[in-house]
Amino acid sequence: MKNLLLKISVFTSLIAGTLAPVFAQTDYSDAERELEKASDKLFIQAERRFENGKYWEAARDLIVLLDFYPRYSRIDEATYILADCLYEIGLNDGANKLYRHLVKKHVRSPHLPNALLGLQRVEYDQHDYTKSLEFFKVLNRTNPPQQIHDASRYIAGLCYQRLHEYSQAVNILSAVGENSPFYPHALYTLAISHLRLKNVRQAIEAFRRIKKLSITSPERKRVLDETHLTLGYIYYELGYYQQALNEFNDVSSDHSRHQDALLAAGWACVKLDQFKQATLPLTELVANNPTDELAEEGLFLLGRCYLKMGLYAEAQSVYENLISIFPRREVIPNMVNEINLTLEAESIKMERIKLDLLMLETKLLDMLEISSEESMPEHIQEEQDRIAEARIGLLRRIREERQTFEKMSYLIDEMKRRTEVKQDRRDWRAYAEYGRTRAKFLKEIQDKDNNSQVQ
C-alpha cells in the first residue's frame, strides 16, 4: 500500500507544481536566483530518486535542500516529499512531524491534502484507526484532488473494517473511483466487508468485478491472484468444488501464496474423487519447497491419493518421507525448550538493537527542525552545516540498524512459527506410521493377488 500512496503523492505534486509560484518570492536578487537554480537541481534529483524508490538517497538530498535554502519556492513540496521518504523507510515519527509542520505553516499550500493523507496513513499504521478517520474527515473538507481523495477513502475503509464497522466500510469503499490505482484493493476490501456482513452474493459480485479488470500493473495482478484464492475458498466452503478448483488453478505461479493454492487445489480434487488429478498440484507443492509446513500436509494428502489409486508402494514411500520429517513425540518437549531458550537470548539482543534504533531515530527527529528563513550569522550557519552532516550520518546509521533489525525479526518470527507448527503437529508422526503400515499391508495383499493370477 505504501508504494501506491507514494506514487499518488508524486502524481498530485506534479499537478500542483504549476501552483508553486504562488509561494515564490517575486523579488529575487541575483544571489537568490542562483540559489533557486541550485535548489531546483537538487530537488529534481531528489524527486527522481523518490520516484525510483530510492527513499534513503532522496531523503538525504532533501535534508540538504531544507538546510541549504529554506526560502526555496517549492519548500512545501520538498517538505512533504521528505516526509513521504521518512514514512517509507519506517521513520513514522519524523514523517509525522514534517506532515504536521506543513499543515501548520503552509495552510494555503496545494500540497496540504498530501500532508493530511500522510497523517491519516501514519495513524493507520500505528493502529489508531479512530484518529486516522479524523484526518480523513478533515481531508474530505479540503476538496482534495480525486486521486488523493480515493486513496484517503481506501484507508478510511480499512479503518472501518478494523473497527468492525463493516457497513461504513462498504459505503466508503464503494465511492472509490474506477480510475484510482486503489480501485482493485478497494473492491477486494469491499468484498471482505460484505462477507463479514454475511452478504455472500454481494461479496462474490465484488470479486467478479475484480476478475473483469485488465491487468495493468503488478499490484493489480497481486489483487487478482488473491481474489482467485479467496473466491476459491468461498466456493470450497459452499461445496462447489469444481468452481473452487478452477479458481485455485488460476492463481499465478509467482504469487506469494501459490503454495496455498496448490494445496487447496489438491483438496478440491479429492472432494471430486479426482485422485489422479490431485497428485499434480500436490507433487508440485512438495517439489517446490519440501520443508514447508504446507508441503507436510500435501504429503499426507498425496499419500491418501496413492492409497485410493491402489499405488501402495508410492503411498508407503510418501509416509516414510513424513516419518523422517517428524521427530518422535517424546523428543519434542526437549527440542521446544532448547528453541525457546535460543529465542529468549535472541529476543534480548533484539531489544538492544530496538533501543539503539529508537535512540538514533529520536536524535534524527530532534535534528529535523525546519530552518528559519531569516539570514543567520556565519558561525551559526557553520554550526547548521555541521548539524546537516550529522543528520545524514544518522540517517545512514539508522538504515544499517533497521536492516539488521528487520532481518533478525524475520528470522525469530519464522523460528517461533515453525516451533508452534511442530507442537501442533506432534501427533502427525503417529498418523504417518499408521499410513505406512496400512500401505504396506495393502501392498502385500495386492502382491499376493497378482501372484495368484500369474499362477
Side-chain angles (χ1 to χ4, degrees), residues 177-191:
E178 294 184 10
N179 294 326
S180 171
F182 288 96
Y183 181 63
H185 299 266
L187 277 180
Y188 184 86
T189 311
L190 176 67

Side-chain angles (χ1 to χ4, degrees), residues 44-153:
I44 291 170
Q45 176 178 284
E47 191 174 41
R48 188 180 300 115
R49 285 173 167 165
F50 177 86
E51 292 170 1
N52 292 332
K54 297 180 179 179
Y55 305 114
W56 291 95
E57 293 83 352
R60 179 195 61 203
D61 292 344
L62 291 168
I63 286 173
V64 171
L65 174 59
L66 263 61
D67 283 320
F68 175 67
Y69 188 42
R71 289 166 58 88
Y72 180 49
S73 61
R74 300 172 70 178
I75 197 69
D76 56 332
E77 189 175 358
T79 301
Y80 102 77
I81 293 180
L82 175 57
D84 278 354
C85 289
L86 297 182
Y87 171 79
E88 178 62 21
I89 58 184
L91 304 181
N92 283 2
D93 288 340
N96 185 61
K97 179 176 181 178
L98 291 176
Y99 288 135
R100 289 181 181 276
H101 171 82
L102 185 60
V103 170
K104 291 177 182 178
K105 301 298 182 181
H106 298 277
V107 180
R108 297 177 59 193
S109 169
H111 305 294
L112 182 65
N114 297 78
L116 290 171
L117 177 63
L119 290 169
Q120 182 186 355
R121 63 189 181 184
V122 165
E123 297 300 337
Y124 174 81
D125 287 351
Q126 295 177 346
H127 311 297
D128 193 340
Y129 306 120
T130 301
K131 199 164 186 179
S132 180
L133 287 170
E134 290 175 4
F135 282 115
F136 164 70
K137 292 171 184 176
V138 173
L139 191 151
N140 199 37
R141 293 196 293 268
T142 65
N143 192 26
Q146 183 66 34
Q147 297 245 7
I148 291 289
H149 207 174
D150 284 336
S152 182
R153 286 175 178 137

Side-chain angles (χ1 to χ4, degrees), residues 186-355:
L187 277 180
Y188 184 86
T189 311
L190 176 67
I192 298 298
S193 298
H194 275 306
L195 283 178
R196 295 292 186 181
L197 293 169
K198 303 187 186 304
N199 300 330
V200 179
R201 288 187 178 181
Q202 290 91 327
I204 292 177
E205 175 58 29
F207 284 130
R208 286 175 175 169
R209 286 162 64 187
I210 296 174
K211 291 170 63 175
K212 292 178 181 178
L213 296 176
S214 56
I215 305 302
T216 57
S217 68
E219 284 289 336
R220 283 200 170 195
K221 187 171 179 290
R222 280 192 286 271
V223 176
L224 178 60
D225 283 331
E226 200 65 34
T227 296
H228 285 308
L229 188 59
T230 306
L231 200 50
Y233 286 140
I234 294 172
Y235 285 137
Y236 186 92
E237 291 298 322
L238 294 174
Y240 300 125
Y241 301 118
Q242 186 57 57
Q243 290 90 328
L245 178 60
N246 294 339
E247 296 296 337
F248 295 138
N249 287 337
D250 284 339
V251 176
S252 303
S253 59
D254 59 350
H255 184 52
S256 60
R257 297 183 64 195
H258 185 238
Q259 298 287 88
D260 297 84
L262 291 173
L263 180 60
W267 276 111
C269 287
V270 168
K271 290 292 186 179
L272 293 166
D273 293 332
Q274 298 175 0
F275 302 109
K276 184 177 182 180
Q277 187 175 345
T279 62
L280 299 177
L282 294 174
T283 302
E284 182 181 349
L285 170 65
V286 173
N288 285 346
N289 193 350
T291 61
D292 189 81
E293 63 265 21
L294 292 177
E296 294 169 359
E297 184 177 347
L299 281 170
F300 270 107
L301 195 55
L302 187 59
R304 179 180 173 185
C305 292
Y306 283 142
L307 285 175
K308 290 287 187 179
M309 295 163 62
L311 301 174
Y312 304 124
E314 288 82 351
Q316 186 177 343
S317 176
V318 167
Y319 288 124
E320 286 175 350
N321 191 358
L322 280 166
I323 291 170
S324 68
I325 292 174
F326 295 103
R328 294 185 181 277
R329 183 183 178 91
E330 60 270 17
V331 176
I332 291 178
N334 291 334
M335 183 182 70
V336 170
N337 287 335
E338 290 178 8
I339 293 174
N340 286 336
L341 287 174
T342 303
L343 288 175
E344 186 177 346
E346 291 300 321
S347 295
I348 293 173
K349 293 180 183 178
M350 286 292 296
E351 285 301 319
R352 290 173 183 167
I353 295 176
K354 187 176 180 180
L355 181 60

